[in-house]
Amino acid sequence: MSDSDSIKEKWKKYRKPGYQDEFDYSWGMVIDLDRCTGCEACVTACQAENNLPIVGEEGFRAGREIKWIRIERYWEGEYPDIKLRFIPMLCQHCDSAPCEPVCPVYATYHNQDGLNVQVYNRCIGTRSCAAYCPYDARAFNWFSFTWDPPLDEQLNPDVTVREKGVMEKCTFCIQRIRQAKDTAKDQNRRVRDGEVQPACVQSCPTQALVFGDRNDPNSAVSKLAQNPRGYHVLEELNTNPSIIYLKNL
């Protein structure tokens, strides 16, 4: 086999979505819609944890608000028997993510933990990933935002402050995952169930969000995933999301 053929084979291998044969961990989330009250505590916690900017009134009117998780609202039933429902929407960390193969610089890919990650300093802002994301879960930085004192002192030092021209999205608070993995490695063990909690999960007052390792059959997220109420959003697209929603009772 020539060098060019070898390069082509490697190219094909790493251009297909979900190219990892086996994950060290398989992080996933279960969201119980029957518990969600639409309080948006998860939205606020995510913004504080991950240094999300405040785009201001003009940016909001232009549709340039940056949120890694949002609460969608919809009505169920018919008048007068009608109810307001809520569904948290964030990056689904799909095992067959349509955003990955369309990135020309491999800024988004699947890592060894089954996460759809984003390399900020590799991103050139083509926004092709956002165009192919069926969940509208990616945001583009049109400007380099700043935080006026003393608000700059609240920034999380464990999270990168993104610059103009970069795509961003939910990371399942990967900084917390890495810290838990480092601690477990030092103690020569695996990460225990419940040891990692993204900011949205930690802040939910009704415990509607549960996070954990899907590779562990005894984890809370694995047990909840077997619930007959479980479903994937836009399941017909075959993106194989890592987030399972539990229907309203």
Side-chain angles (χ1 to χ4, degrees), residues 169-180:
K169 66 173 192 66
C170 163
T171 65
F172 273 167
C173 289
I174 194 172
Q175 67 278 3
R176 297 188 177 196
I177 294 175
R178 285 175 173 166
Q179 184 178 9

Side-chain angles (χ1 to χ4, degrees), residues 29-95:
M29 186 181 292
V30 173
I31 301 177
D32 190 343
L33 299 182
D34 208 42
R35 288 174 174 264
C36 181
T37 62
C39 68
E40 297 199 12
C42 54
V43 178
T44 302
C46 177
Q47 183 153 7
E49 172 73 16
N50 295 293
N51 301 335
L52 300 189
I54 304 297
V55 301
E57 292 184 8
E58 292 185 7
F60 187 85
R61 284 197 296 267
R64 294 174 177 172
E65 183 184 23
I66 297 179
K67 296 290 185 190
W68 286 8
I69 180 173
R70 65 185 187 276
I71 303 297
E72 299 281 4
R73 295 167 174 81
Y74 64 96
W75 294 100
E76 186 177 77
E78 296 183 3
Y79 181 83
D81 185 17
I82 189 171
K83 293 182 179 180
L84 178 62
R85 299 294 193 184
F86 308 97
I87 177 170
M89 186 57 59
L90 61 158
C91 173
Q92 303 291 299
H93 291 272
C94 310
D95 288 341

Side-chain angles (χ1 to χ4, degrees), residues 11 31 62 114 117 139 161 174 248:
W11 180 279
I31 301 177
V117 296
V161 176
I174 194 172
N248 295 105

Side-chain angles (χ1 to χ4, degrees), residues 20-194:
Q20 294 282 352
D21 295 327
E22 185 177 353
F23 297 137
D24 296 343
Y25 293 86
S26 184
W27 301 111
M29 186 181 292
V30 173
I31 301 177
D32 190 343
L33 299 182
D34 208 42
R35 288 174 174 264
C36 181
T37 62
C39 68
E40 297 199 12
C42 54
V43 178
T44 302
C46 177
Q47 183 153 7
E49 172 73 16
N50 295 293
N51 301 335
L52 300 189
I54 304 297
V55 301
E57 292 184 8
E58 292 185 7
F60 187 85
R61 284 197 296 267
R64 294 174 177 172
E65 183 184 23
I66 297 179
K67 296 290 185 190
W68 286 8
I69 180 173
R70 65 185 187 276
I71 303 297
E72 299 281 4
R73 295 167 174 81
Y74 64 96
W75 294 100
E76 186 177 77
E78 296 183 3
Y79 181 83
D81 185 17
I82 189 171
K83 293 182 179 180
L84 178 62
R85 299 294 193 184
F86 308 97
I87 177 170
M89 186 57 59
L90 61 158
C91 173
Q92 303 291 299
H93 291 272
C94 310
D95 288 341
S96 299
C99 59
E100 293 176 10
V102 299
C103 181
V105 294
Y106 311 108
T108 181
Y109 68 97
H110 243 61
N111 73 354
Q112 72 278 8
D113 288 339
L115 299 177
N116 176 246
V117 296
Q118 181 80 15
V119 184
Y120 299 124
N121 60 357
R122 190 184 293 173
C123 178
I124 59 174
T126 63
R127 291 183 285 164
S128 55
C129 56
Y132 278 79
C133 176
Y135 305 100
D136 194 23
R138 289 175 171 268
F140 182 70
N141 282 274
W142 292 91
F143 306 99
S144 291
F145 297 96
T146 58
W147 285 259
D148 297 328
L151 297 180
D152 57 334
E153 297 181 6
Q154 75 175 12
L155 293 177
N156 187 349
D158 295 327
V159 179
T160 303
V161 176
R162 283 76 62 189
E163 298 291 336
K164 177 175 66 174
V166 172
M167 296 297 305
E168 61 178 72
K169 66 173 192 66
C170 163
T171 65
F172 273 167
C173 289
I174 194 172
Q175 67 278 3
R176 297 188 177 196
I177 294 175
R178 285 175 173 166
Q179 184 178 9
K181 288 182 66 177
D182 288 343
T183 301
K185 183 179 179 181
D186 292 341
Q187 299 175 2
N188 195 26
R189 60 175 176 81
R190 288 182 64 81
V191 177
R192 301 187 184 99
D193 186 36

